[in-house]
């Protein structure tokens, strides 16, 4: 499952190996990156909060989203770990991996890796034993489609979906599964295509009696817009 590689802790590279007896304390407030064998080599970057985590967010496009974990310390939210699975640079392959409708076989393989291998590794590496109500799945743009798909397929794993500016490749199913995770959607008024998709999902989930937040605010499609919203999402998901 996992290649012997090097991890980055506090800006320094060290050889990976068996986890220490108290791994969270050893890398508290830092970032840990591990290489997995999946798909010829895929990295996962984890933000480890200074205090023992009370909640965890699993995210696609983890090269970027994992870095947002450092914003949470100043946001007054419960101590939250961010486990970011890196996405592909090729946009077509990324979409096929994140949205179930284009290449079902590729999506299923990534789904197994994301919900199985990565979650099992994170639980072992960091001593996580968090219930679904303290676990969220997060994504932006095409990654928002991934978050919605995994949330609907695995509500007993992910109690909350944090979705920003979802793409249009994955649309609400005609018959919603049950139960449904709580869902926070956000999109900008300057990205009408993605705003329409977010509204479509908000309406469909509300019609199925799911708990939904739909936030529309000034903004366009990009990291700065999503980064600002991330602490609000986490506060909504776990600040109770």
């Amino acid at each position: 499952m996992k290649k012997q590689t090097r991890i980055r802790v506090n800006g320094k590279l060290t050889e990976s190996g068996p986890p220490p007896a108290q791994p969270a304390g050893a890398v508290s407030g830092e970032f840990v990156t591990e290489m997995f064998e999946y798909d010829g080599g895929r990295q996962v970057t984890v933000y480890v909060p200074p205090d023992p985590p009370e909640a965890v967010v699993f995210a696609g496009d983890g090269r970027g989203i994992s870095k947002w974990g450092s914003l949470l310390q100043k946001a007054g939210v419960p101590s939250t770990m961010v486990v970011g699975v890196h996405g592909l640079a090729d946009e077509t392959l990324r979409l096929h991996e994140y949205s179930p409708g284009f290449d079902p076989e590729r999506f299923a393989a990534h789904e197994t890796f994301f919900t199985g291998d990565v979650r099992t590794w994170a639980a072992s590496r960091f001593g996580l034993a968090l219930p679904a109500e303290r676990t969220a799945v997060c994504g932006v743009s095409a990654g928002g489609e991934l978050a919605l798909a995994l949330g609907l397929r695995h509500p007993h794993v992910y109690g909350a979906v944090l979705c920003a500016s979802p793409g249009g490749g994955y649309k609400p199913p005609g018959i919603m599964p049950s139960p449904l995770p709580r869902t926070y959607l956000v999109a900008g008024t300057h990205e009408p295509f993605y705003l329409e998709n977010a509204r479509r999902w908000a309406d469909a989930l509300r019609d199925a009696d799911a708990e939904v937040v739909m936030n529309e605010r000034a903004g366009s499609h990009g990291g700065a817009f999503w980064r600002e919203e991330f602490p609000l999402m986490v506060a909504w998901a776990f600040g109770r």
Side-chain angles (χ1 to χ4, degrees):
M1 180 182 72
K2 179 167 61 68
K3 292 182 179 179
Q4 187 74 4
T5 185
R6 296 188 293 172
I7 60 176
R8 185 175 295 275
V9 178
N10 197 23
K12 298 179 180 179
L13 287 171
T14 61
E15 296 297 330
S16 68
Q22 296 179 334
V27 291
S28 179
E30 303 293 348
F31 294 88
V32 173
T33 294
E34 191 67 78
M35 178 73 78
F36 290 74
E37 294 179 355
Y38 172 74
D39 197 35
R42 186 68 60 91
Q43 289 184 321
V44 174
T45 296
V46 180
Y47 167 73
V48 185
D51 299 316
E54 301 174 41
V56 59
V57 175
F58 289 89
D61 294 316
R63 182 182 290 103
I65 293 180
S66 59
K67 297 177 183 177
W68 301 349
S70 59
L71 303 173
L72 301 177
Q73 296 180 43
K74 298 179 180 179
V77 302
S79 180
T80 301
M81 178 177 287
V82 181
V83 181
V85 181
H86 290 210
L88 295 170
D90 184 296
E91 282 299 319
T92 298
L93 293 179
R94 173 174 170 264
L95 182 59
H96 289 184
E97 194 168 78
Y98 282 3
S99 184
F102 295 99
D103 186 340
E105 185 175 348
R106 186 172 188 87
F107 175 86
H110 182 259
E111 177 183 22
T112 297
F113 172 63
F114 193 107
T115 63
D117 294 350
V118 172
R119 196 162 59 94
T120 299
W121 169 78
S124 174
R125 176 68 174 84
F126 302 102
L128 293 177
L130 296 170
E133 58 265 25
R134 307 301 290 177
T135 304
V137 60
C138 176
V140 300
S141 193
E145 299 180 50
L146 175 68
L148 288 163
L150 295 184
L152 265 63
R153 290 166 179 250
H154 303 277
H156 298 293
V157 174
Y158 309 109
V161 171
L162 311 178
C163 175
S165 310
Y170 176 49
K171 293 180 172 60
I175 299 177
M176 284 285 190
S178 180
L180 287 167
R182 299 182 296 125
T183 302
Y184 186 121
L185 291 147
V186 62
T189 55
H190 302 304
E191 49 170 5
F193 172 76
Y194 300 95
L195 179 57
E196 180 182 353
N197 293 331
R199 287 172 176 165
R200 179 188 300 117
W201 272 101
D203 290 343
L205 289 165
R206 287 186 184 122
D207 289 345
D209 296 323
E211 181 180 344
V212 180
V213 166
M214 174 64 209
N215 192 13
E216 301 180 21
R217 62 182 182 86
S220 57
H221 204 71
F225 174 69
W226 302 323
R227 186 171 59 248
E228 291 173 0
E229 196 77 17
F230 185 66
L232 303 178
M233 290 175 152
V234 175
W236 172 81
F238 305 128
R240 55 168 147 190

